[in-house]
Amino acid sequence: MRRLIGWTAGVVGIAALARMLARRRVHHAPAGPAPPVDDHADALRRKLDESRATEAAQASADEPEPEPEGPQESLEERRARVHAKAQEAIDAMQEPLP
C-alpha cells in the first residue's frame, strides 16, 4: 500500500513539473517581430532637443562675461582676514549683556 501511494505521488509530481515547464516555454516564446518604432515620437524628441539647444545658446549669449577681479589676495592674506573677522565675532559674543 505504501509503495502504491509513493508511486502515485511521484507520478503526480512529475506531471505537475511537466505542465509547469510546458507553460514556461509558451510564455517565454518569442512574440514575433518587434513593434514598429514611432517615427513621430522621434521627430518630436529631435525638435525638442533642437529648441533646448537654441535656448541654451541664447541664454549663454545674453549673459555678460564676468569681469576680472582686481589683484587676487594671497592665501595668507585671506586666512588673516577671515581669522580677524572670526575673532571680532567671538569678542562680540563674549561681551556682557547690558
Side-chain angles (χ1 to χ4, degrees):
M1 184 69 173
R2 287 187 177 192
R3 284 188 187 177
L4 180 62
I5 293 173
W7 278 99
T8 306
V11 170
V12 170
I14 291 173
L17 179 65
R19 287 184 71 194
M20 184 180 72
L21 292 176
R23 285 183 186 168
R24 183 179 291 180
R25 284 188 201 127
V26 170
H27 290 296
H28 291 291
V37 178
D38 188 11
D39 292 333
H40 184 65
D42 289 335
L44 289 174
R45 285 188 192 99
R46 281 194 301 275
K47 188 174 180 181
L48 181 61
D49 290 340
E50 290 171 3
S51 67
R52 286 181 179 167
T54 303
E55 289 175 3
Q58 288 175 352
S60 64
D62 293 343
E63 293 179 9
E65 292 185 25
E67 297 178 14
E69 296 181 17
Q72 295 286 329
E73 62 183 343
S74 70
L75 183 59
E76 290 300 321
E77 291 171 343
R78 184 173 180 199
R79 283 182 182 161
R81 182 177 49 84
V82 170
H83 181 72
K85 190 174 182 180
Q87 191 62 46
E88 289 175 12
I90 290 171
D91 292 340
M93 286 189 282
Q94 290 179 348
E95 290 179 5
L97 294 174

